[in-house]
Amino acid sequence: MKNAKSIQFGIQHTKILFSLKANSSILIFFLGLFLSLPQNSLSQISFQTGQSFATGGSQFEVVAVGDINDDGRNDIVAATGYYFSAQFDYKLFVYLQSPQGDFPTTQYYPYANVYPGIKAIAINDVNHDLLNDVIIGYGDSIAIFYQNSAHSLNTPVRYFSGTGVDDLKVGDVNNDSLPDIVVCHWNSTTIRVFYQTQSGFTTSVYAKPAGGYDAIEIGDVNSDGLNDVVYMAGQWAGGIHVFKQNAAGTLNNYVSYFPGGSTSWQSLQSIAIGDLNNDGANDVAASRGGNSPNAWLVIWYQNPVTKLLSPAVNISAYEIPSNIDIADFDCDGKQEIFMNHGGWNKITVWTSDAAYNFNGYDSYSVSVAQHPKPEGLTSGDINNDGMPDIVSVGDFTNVQLLYNITAGACGTSGLGVDNQSDHVAEARLFPNPFSGILTFTLSDAEPASFILYDISSRIILREDFRSSATIGTGHLAKGIYLYEMRNKNGIIKKGKVIKD
């Protein structure tokens, strides 16, 4: 779907190419950059393709991004299942990011050889030591690779969950500031919650519709300040089913929502939670269907009055929409939606217009797994330039890296590592660790922004300020957060902050 913007975008880059003829090395770089631009450009957001990791023999199934060696930089954790490779099957591949934004070190961690292998992965602190751990789901179990004081991963600890783990997510679902683990299972009529305690976990189960190829998300979808659980049934009943957290710290019976239209297409492929119309309330997005014309992006917007999800909006999408996720790729406070497309070797990135409508997408040609698992797509800053990038499980033995090269986004050039701006203002953030409030100051009065991210590089809050500001943080869960202070010139200061 081309339009005037896509033509103008191409012309602008052509002019850059012609102006650089005198320097062949720069010309070659920008030529590669130009060729990696999306085929259907609807916005200035852009990604560079062509880089990947390969297993050397086995097949990647899931991928996650987060800091798992406590150095303040996001690492990539990808995992394999069974694919006829004794050397590489049933392993975590940990790619540790360097200060230069590359991955010179790879570590390998095995897990139990249970066919067909891993189904889900997450990164979070699940033993309240302020270090991120890796949580995986396979067979009838979850397993946790706890990070140790040397900042490597221990041998995994297994916990029984139930037959046929399909997906898991980590988040505080009983309002005690400790992240919990929520798991769904193939053709099961319950979800299981591992509630984190000071000494381990307690578990509870909650009734749900039977499904298969299911998915789980955690987020506040009724604006009461409490995280809820959204379960997606990939077959049978279809639809999404919202378990609202109550004041007692348990989950209410689910309320169901369906995409509508033909009754034969109620099943979904993947779900994500985020504020898609910039009203301060979380919405739910899903990928739905198969080949066009039965391929859709589905959005349930949160009603500002009732705080319930409104009837679904279905928007035509590219072929076989598979995994879906949400991120703010240009740091403008508006969320983008991105999807991969199993078997069609495409990733699409959706941006909204001025009225927050999602009417089209940019597409990128990359290897995509035929049937991606729920955790086959994610985002995070993987080259230390302050911008969220895309990481996706490719076909068979590779993980695809799509580097965000959006010019001027997030105060960066969009062309490489931008660690700090040249701005000389002194920046401070205190207290650290923090509890109820967080204060940040600059030595000048230039307009600036403070951005707080969770460990998956998702924006938690953003505050525009001059000189200084203090924000309330009582609603934030205990744990590790990443922050940045930016002005028009780029990043002034960034680092890690701890909520205790």
Side-chain angles (χ1 to χ4, degrees):
M1 183 190 301
K2 294 183 178 179
N3 60 17
K5 282 191 176 180
S6 66
I7 296 171
Q8 183 182 12
F9 194 69
I11 291 172
Q12 290 172 342
H13 280 264
T14 302
K15 287 181 178 179
I16 292 174
L17 288 170
F18 280 119
S19 69
L20 293 171
K21 283 194 293 185
N23 188 325
S24 60
S25 63
I26 298 177
L27 175 61
I28 291 170
F29 171 78
F30 276 95
L31 178 60
L33 195 63
F34 178 78
L35 293 175
S36 72
L37 294 175
Q39 290 127 347
N40 302 314
S41 182
L42 293 170
S43 72
Q44 296 298 312
I45 294 174
S46 190
F47 293 87
Q48 184 177 21
T49 63
Q51 298 194 51
S52 62
F53 297 133
T55 64
S58 192
Q59 178 170 324
F60 282 124
E61 301 287 354
V62 296
V63 66
V65 171
D67 177 14
I68 64 162
N69 64 344
D70 201 38
D71 64 356
R73 295 183 294 273
N74 280 333
D75 310 303
I76 298 174
V77 183
T80 59
Y82 176 74
Y83 197 67
F84 310 103
S85 173
Q87 181 179 3
F88 295 115
D89 285 351
Y90 303 113
K91 284 184 174 62
L92 298 189
F93 288 60
V94 176
Y95 301 96
L96 297 175
Q97 186 182 164
S98 75
Q100 291 73 41
D102 58 5
F103 297 89
T105 302
T106 306
Q107 299 174 343
Y108 305 91
Y109 297 90
Y111 67 94
N113 291 16
V114 177
Y115 180 84
I118 194 166
K119 291 295 188 74
I121 191 169
I123 296 174
N124 212 312
D125 174 18
V126 291
N127 62 343
H128 48 272
D129 64 353
L130 302 180
L131 298 174
N132 284 331
D133 313 301
V134 178
I135 308 96
I136 66 172
Y138 62 90
D140 62 4
S141 303
I142 66 169
I144 302 174
F145 294 80
Y146 292 104
Q147 186 181 162
N148 56 47
S149 58
H151 305 303
S152 59
L153 300 179
N154 289 335
T155 300
V157 179
R158 173 187 170 274
Y159 301 86
F160 173 80
S161 182
T163 302
V165 170
D166 253 352
D167 194 18
L168 65 82
K169 285 295 187 297
V170 180
D172 178 14
V173 295
N174 63 345
N175 201 32
D176 66 353
S177 298
L178 297 176
D180 311 302
I181 305 170
V182 185
V183 189
C184 60
H185 310 82
W186 175 272
N187 202 26
S188 169
T189 57
T190 60
I191 60 171
R192 183 178 294 274
V193 180
F194 291 81
Y195 289 107
Q196 187 183 165
T197 70
Q198 295 299 321
S199 58
F201 297 97
T202 62
T203 69
S204 296
V205 295
Y206 297 91
K208 70 168 182 67
Y213 306 108
D214 301 333
I216 285 279
E217 285 291 335
I218 296 174
D220 178 11
V221 294
N222 65 337
S223 298
D224 64 355
L226 302 174
N227 279 333
D228 311 303
V229 174
V230 181
Y231 159 73
M232 182 207 82
Q235 61 181 11
W236 310 125
I240 61 172
H241 311 275
V242 178
F243 298 79
K244 293 182 180 178
Q245 185 185 160
N246 56 48
T250 60
L251 301 178
N252 291 337
N253 293 336
Y254 63 84
V255 176
S256 300
Y257 299 86
F258 295 93
S262 170
T263 57
S264 64
W265 289 100
Q266 296 302 301
S267 61
L268 304 166
Q269 306 298 322
S270 180
I271 54 173
I273 294 174
D275 179 8
L276 298 175
N277 56 356
N278 212 31
D279 65 352
N282 280 332
D283 313 300
V284 179
S287 52
R288 177 192 184 194
N291 291 111
S292 178
N294 294 311
W296 296 284
L297 162 66
V298 184
I299 302 175
W300 289 269
Y301 290 103
Q302 188 179 152
N303 186 295
V305 177
T306 66
K307 306 304 181 183
L308 301 174
L309 298 181
S310 298
V313 177
N314 285 259
I315 306 163
S316 293
Y318 187 72
E319 309 283 349
I320 312 291
S322 302
N323 301 137
I324 189 170
D325 211 339
I326 295 170
D328 181 5
F329 288 121
D330 56 357
C331 301
D332 66 349
K334 295 169 61 177
Q335 300 291 315
E336 283 76 52
I337 299 170
F338 58 109
M339 290 189 278
N340 58 13
H341 300 264
W344 284 81
N345 292 328
K346 288 280 196 257
I347 286 179
T348 55
V349 180
W350 300 67
T351 57
S352 60
D353 59 21
Y356 303 104
N357 297 309
F358 291 87
N359 295 317
Y361 53 82
D362 298 335
S363 64
Y364 297 84
S365 294
V366 297
S367 172
V368 176
Q370 294 287 322
H371 304 286
K373 301 292 190 296
E375 309 312 322
L377 179 70
T378 190
S379 66
D381 177 12
I382 59 168
N383 62 345
N384 203 28
D385 68 351
M387 296 193 294
D389 309 298
I390 296 175
V391 183
S392 177
V393 171
D395 200 8
F396 297 111
T397 63
N398 63 82
V399 167
Q400 294 290 319
L401 312 179
L402 283 74
Y403 287 104
N404 191 343
I405 56 170
T406 305
C410 308
T412 70
S413 67
L415 300 176
V417 174
D418 284 2
N419 290 323
Q420 301 277 92
S421 78
D422 293 330
H423 189 80
V424 295
E426 180 183 353
R428 296 180 60 218
L429 177 143
F430 58 90
N432 187 11
F434 67 94
S435 181
I437 61 171
L438 191 58
T439 298
F440 32 93
T441 66
L442 289 178
S443 59
D444 65 21
E446 291 294 318
S449 297
F450 172 82
I451 308 169
L452 190 69
Y453 304 85
D454 68 13
I455 53 93
S456 298
S457 297
R458 298 180 185 276
I459 294 177
I460 300 300
L461 60 85
R462 178 184 180 124
E463 182 78 12
D464 296 327
F465 71 103
R466 292 175 182 262
S467 298
S468 68
T470 298
I471 57 174
T473 56
H475 65 290
L476 297 178
K478 294 180 180 179
I480 303 169
Y481 296 86
L482 306 176
Y483 74 89
E484 293 175 346
M485 289 190 230
R486 297 177 174 274
N487 64 10
K488 64 182 180 180
N489 299 312
I491 300 173
I492 304 167
K493 184 180 180 68
K494 68 178 182 178
K496 180 188 301 184
V497 66
I498 299 170
K499 168 75 181 289
D500 63 11

